[in-house]
Amino acid sequence: MSTVTEPAPTQAAEPRRARTTDRARQERSLGWKLAGPAFVVMLAVTAYPIANALWLSLFDYRLTDPTNRRFVFLKNYVVILGDPIWWRAVGVTLLITVITVVVELVIGFGLALVMNKALSLIRPVLRTVILIPYAIITVVSAFAWQFAFSNTSGFVNDWFSFLPGISETTDWFGGFWSSLAVICASEIWKTTPFISLLLLAGLAQVPEEMQEAAQVDGATWWQRMYKVTIPNMKAAIMVAVLFRTLDAFRVFDNVFIMTAGAQGTETVSLLAYRQTITRVEIGMGSAVSVLLFLCVVLISFVFVKGFRINLAQARGEG
């Protein structure tokens, strides 16, 4: 019996790599020449402090006693990672980060939809009004929220005394959860416009033809939202959430102004400040700063890998 040998499956032709044109090479060269000096300056002002902090973190170094500076290698890291104060600060920081980013993403997406669909006549005014909180300095907004919720000079207790649990003598900064609620509310009010602005840019990239085609096929508003709009905004959502998460994880101003870390609200940035500036423990404070830097790098890595977004491809360069 004769056997029939099936032809070996032909391998899919590999896509040819696009040939770089002379104009593209010239544009790339011009881009490096224009951005090169700024890149070198940024590298100098960011790489040196990081390297210096990493070096100082290997020493037992107190600024008030510089002559007794000793090389202790990783002892500062062992002390910090074995201290419950560090892990509590990490927990509080993560709690603030998760609450603020999730709430800001939901509210910011709603504001982006409103700004995107608003009538062209009121659109500039609407965008300006929404972006006003983001233009205010964080320290100023923190003081404003502290005064508003103060039980001596604030108005919140008077306005909302009809709600259960709130009276004229309610001390918002006298407990952990109430303090955290005010801190998160201030963060959300201040930075939601930032996320809405990034999401608005993502909405502008969604092809209107796809929306119209889905509508003609009978898709409801929700079906168009999670099958057309959100998938086409994946890169913008990733950038907005990543930037805001990194910003929220190093929260300092609101906590420093409102509670100064009291009631167990100390964050990682405030812990680094207290070790370095208040206690002038340069070695220990530098170690906390390096750990904070590593946390930020880890968050960035998780987000980029988790979203599986190629930003160059999203821009149409790949």
Side-chain angles (χ1 to χ4, degrees):
M1 186 174 65
S2 63
T3 59
V4 177
T5 304
E6 295 182 357
T10 56
Q11 294 182 349
E14 295 183 357
R16 291 184 177 180
R17 180 175 294 180
R19 185 178 179 182
T20 306
T21 62
D22 294 340
R23 180 178 178 180
R25 280 196 293 269
Q26 290 176 357
E27 290 180 348
R28 184 178 300 174
S29 175
L30 178 62
W32 276 109
K33 289 177 182 176
L34 294 175
F39 178 76
V40 171
V41 172
M42 287 189 63
L43 190 64
V45 298
T46 56
Y48 172 73
I50 293 174
N52 192 37
L54 183 61
W55 173 251
L56 291 175
S57 68
L58 305 178
F59 288 85
D60 179 9
Y61 178 29
R62 191 180 181 92
L63 200 59
T64 54
D65 190 15
T67 56
N68 286 330
R69 171 172 160 171
R70 292 185 301 114
F71 182 76
V72 294
F73 195 44
L74 298 178
K75 183 181 178 182
N76 288 333
Y77 294 97
V78 174
V79 172
I80 292 171
L81 295 177
D83 196 325
I85 294 177
W86 159 259
W87 293 109
R88 181 178 178 83
V90 172
V92 172
T93 306
L94 286 175
L95 189 60
I96 293 175
T97 302
V98 171
I99 293 175
T100 55
V101 172
V102 170
V103 175
E104 289 173 16
L105 182 62
V106 174
I107 299 177
F109 192 75
L111 292 176
L113 288 175
V114 171
M115 288 190 287
N116 190 48
K117 295 296 183 182
L119 296 175
S120 58
L121 184 62
I122 64 171
R123 191 175 298 164
V125 178
L126 186 61
R127 290 178 180 178
T128 304
V129 171
I130 290 176
L131 291 175
I132 283 177
Y134 191 63
I136 298 175
I137 300 172
T138 306
V139 174
V140 175
S141 72
F143 273 117
W145 279 79
Q146 185 195 36
F147 290 141
F149 280 85
S150 172
N151 59 355
T152 56
S153 60
F155 59 86
V156 172
N157 287 347
D158 293 334
W159 287 13
F160 298 97
S161 58
F162 64 90
L163 294 175
I166 301 178
S167 65
E168 295 182 354
T169 59
T170 299
D171 184 6
W172 290 89
F173 302 107
F176 172 75
W177 290 108
S178 56
S179 300
L180 201 68
V182 179
I183 291 170
C184 290
S186 176
E187 284 279 320
I188 292 168
W189 177 82
K190 173 74 174 59
T191 51
T192 295
F194 173 72
I195 282 193
S196 67
L197 197 63
L198 293 178
L199 295 179
L200 178 63
L203 276 175
Q205 296 178 350
V206 179
E208 193 63 28
E209 296 80 7
M210 296 180 66
Q211 296 279 10
E212 294 174 357
Q215 195 168 7
V216 170
D217 290 343
T220 63
W221 186 86
W222 284 108
Q223 289 173 330
R224 296 199 305 273
M225 182 59 64
Y226 70 80
K227 288 186 177 179
V228 177
T229 305
I230 293 179
N232 283 283
M233 292 180 59
K234 202 172 178 182
I237 293 174
M238 193 275 286
V239 171
V241 174
L242 174 60
F243 281 10
R244 183 59 196 122
T245 301
L246 297 180
D247 188 43
F249 193 79
R250 55 185 180 81
V251 57
F252 176 82
D253 312 61
N254 280 307
V255 181
F256 181 76
I257 297 297
M258 294 185 189
T259 64
Q263 315 302 340
T265 57
E266 187 173 59
T267 60
V268 177
S269 295
L270 195 61
L271 178 62
Y273 168 83
R274 187 161 61 85
Q275 291 293 330
T276 308
I277 306 300
T278 306
R279 301 188 59 191
V280 291
E281 291 276 5
I282 304 301
M284 195 70 73
S286 298
V288 174
S289 300
V290 171
L291 290 175
L292 175 60
F293 171 73
L294 294 178
C295 290
V296 169
V297 172
L298 179 63
I299 291 173
S300 303
F301 179 79
V302 169
F303 268 81
V304 172
K305 291 296 181 183
F307 274 81
R308 297 177 181 177
I309 292 292
N310 187 341
L311 294 179
Q313 188 176 9
R315 291 194 303 266
E317 298 175 3

